[in-house]
Every structure is written in structure tokens, then in C-alpha cells.
Amino acid sequence: MLVKHRMTPEPIIVRPDMSIAEALEQMRHDGVHRYPVVDTRGKLVGIVSEADLLYASPSSVTTLNVWELTYLLNQVKVKATMTKDVITVDEEAPIEEAARLMRDHNIGGLPVTRRGKLAGIITESDLFDVFLELLMAQEPGLRMTVLAPYVKGSMSQISGAIAQAGGLIHSLNSFVPEDPTQWGCILKVAEISREKLLEVVEPLVLEVLDIREMAE
């Protein structure tokens, strides 16, 4: 899965000379939390978040009256509060590259580029959706978590035994446990009983950590 498969294409943008009052109003109307900032030549020059705009706004305890406050909000421009050194990700990058960049830089969204031009935006909400999709959270069935020996063919043995018993594997994802000689596996399986699933899997793994029925 690549970034382009889960990004929002042609994202809503703002101009650097837009006032923070206008940007905040537009953000609330659009129901988003960040905008790429693009100049009149189409160049990406920054990114501004809701937190940036709110931080730049006067405090609620200000002594300014409503007219002075409105005037001030219309004088401060997006370019004064946006992040200029924008971290981007290419649309052809793997989805996990976007996740790594967000985690490493503690940010909630990335402009997506195509040949150096803005093509979209991907956010932490998009990554949450990918996480749910990889685990097939929307599908009913048995969710099983196991620890297995970290050897060649271990995954194949488990999946083959389930298929041989008539089970339909919706998803199979691995994780890294504390012991490097083991590997962790989370399976979502349908069309098989709990008892049968345990019967065929337990001989092939070191431990069944969890098994539960997941409804739609």
C-alpha cells in the first residue's frame, strides 16, 4: 500500500496572506485540522495547523474589546504562524514511511508531493483507517494472538493448517515480541469454530495469548 492510495488528493489550501481569522473560520467550516499553504505560483511554502492559528490568536483574557480583537485577528497573516520547513512525503512512498515521519517529527499530517508538486495530504486519521483495515476490524470472526517460533515456514504452517481445517483467514499480521527467537502473530479467521481453531493452531505455536469472537 502506497501513500497515494490513502491520501486525500487535491487538498484544500490557504494562501500565506490570508488572515488567521479567515483561516480559522474556513478550517472549522471544512472540518479539518491543518492546511497546506501554497503561494500564487502554486508552490508549497508551509503548513498551518489549528493549534498554530489558536496559539497566534489573542488570549481569552485579553483586555481588547471585540472591535480591537477583530481588527488584530485580521491583521495577523497565516505566513506569520505557519511552519515554513515543511516535511513532505512522496505519493509513491510506502504508507509506513508516512507513519514513520509523523512519529519521528511528532506531527499529525504530511503534504504529499508528486514530482515536487503538492498532490495531496495524509493525516494520522488516514493511518488509523489503514490500521483498522490491516486488522480487518470490520469483519466478524475469531481474533487470535499467538507467539510462534521465529523459524522459516512457521507462518506458512499456521496459515496452511487453518485453511486445511476450513478456516478463512481475513488477515494475518505480525508483531515483534520481547524474545527475538519468537514472532507474534494476530489472525482474524472466519468459518471455523473456536475449538477447531485452537485444535489446529496450538500444536504449531508456543503460546496462544488471546482468542475472542469479534462481531460486526
Side-chain angles (χ1 to χ4, degrees):
M1 187 183 298
L2 303 180
V3 168
K4 65 182 180 182
H5 298 139
R6 289 296 178 268
M7 72 180 186
T8 299
E10 300 180 4
I12 305 167
I13 63 167
V14 293
R15 301 295 186 194
D17 290 325
M18 177 183 279
S19 72
I20 62 172
E22 289 177 292
L24 270 172
E25 183 179 357
Q26 180 176 315
M27 193 171 280
R28 287 163 181 162
H29 176 268
D30 295 333
V32 298
H33 299 289
R34 60 193 56 80
Y35 287 128
V37 185
V38 177
D39 66 16
T40 54
R41 294 172 297 176
K43 181 182 177 182
L44 178 68
V45 294
I47 188 167
V48 66
S49 69
E50 184 178 27
D52 295 330
L53 297 174
L54 292 172
Y55 182 78
S57 302
S59 166
S60 59
V61 297
T62 180
T63 57
L64 297 174
N65 64 41
V66 65
W67 308 112
E68 292 170 325
L69 184 60
T70 301
Y71 175 79
L72 183 58
L73 285 171
N74 281 297
Q75 293 308 302
V76 182
K77 306 299 182 184
V78 165
K79 62 185 176 184
T81 187
M82 70 184 186
T83 298
K84 297 181 178 66
D85 297 325
V86 190
I87 299 165
T88 64
V89 65
D90 191 87
E91 68 170 0
E92 297 291 339
I95 195 76
E96 58 267 31
E97 175 66 9
R100 185 189 64 79
L101 285 169
M102 286 189 213
R103 182 201 61 193
D104 290 352
H105 297 280
N106 194 29
I107 52 179
L110 293 169
V112 181
T113 58
R114 178 189 302 127
R115 295 185 291 277
K117 299 289 187 179
L118 181 67
I121 190 167
I122 189 163
T123 69
E124 55 194 359
S125 295
D126 298 318
L127 297 182
F128 292 151
D129 289 341
V130 170
F131 175 75
L132 293 173
E133 185 178 338
L134 288 174
L135 292 175
M136 294 295 280
Q138 75 279 11
E139 293 291 338
L142 290 165
R143 183 186 188 276
M144 174 182 262
T145 307
V146 302
L147 290 178
Y150 190 56
V151 295
K152 292 179 181 178
S154 178
M155 185 182 294
S156 175
Q157 286 182 332
I158 294 169
S159 59
I162 293 172
Q164 188 69 28
L168 173 63
I169 299 176
H170 284 313
S171 70
L172 190 158
N173 294 278
S174 63
F175 63 92
V176 182
E178 293 181 6
D179 188 339
T181 67
Q182 303 173 356
W183 68 283
C185 176
I186 302 172
L187 300 115
K188 188 69 167 293
V189 186
E191 300 182 16
I192 190 171
S193 69
R194 178 192 182 101
E195 292 72 24
K196 188 63 176 179
L197 183 60
L198 285 169
E199 178 188 325
V200 299
V201 171
E202 279 186 315
L204 303 174
V205 302
L206 300 170
E207 183 181 356
V208 175
L209 298 178
D210 180 70
I211 182 168
R212 64 185 67 194
E213 185 79 36
M214 302 292 286
E216 266 185 282

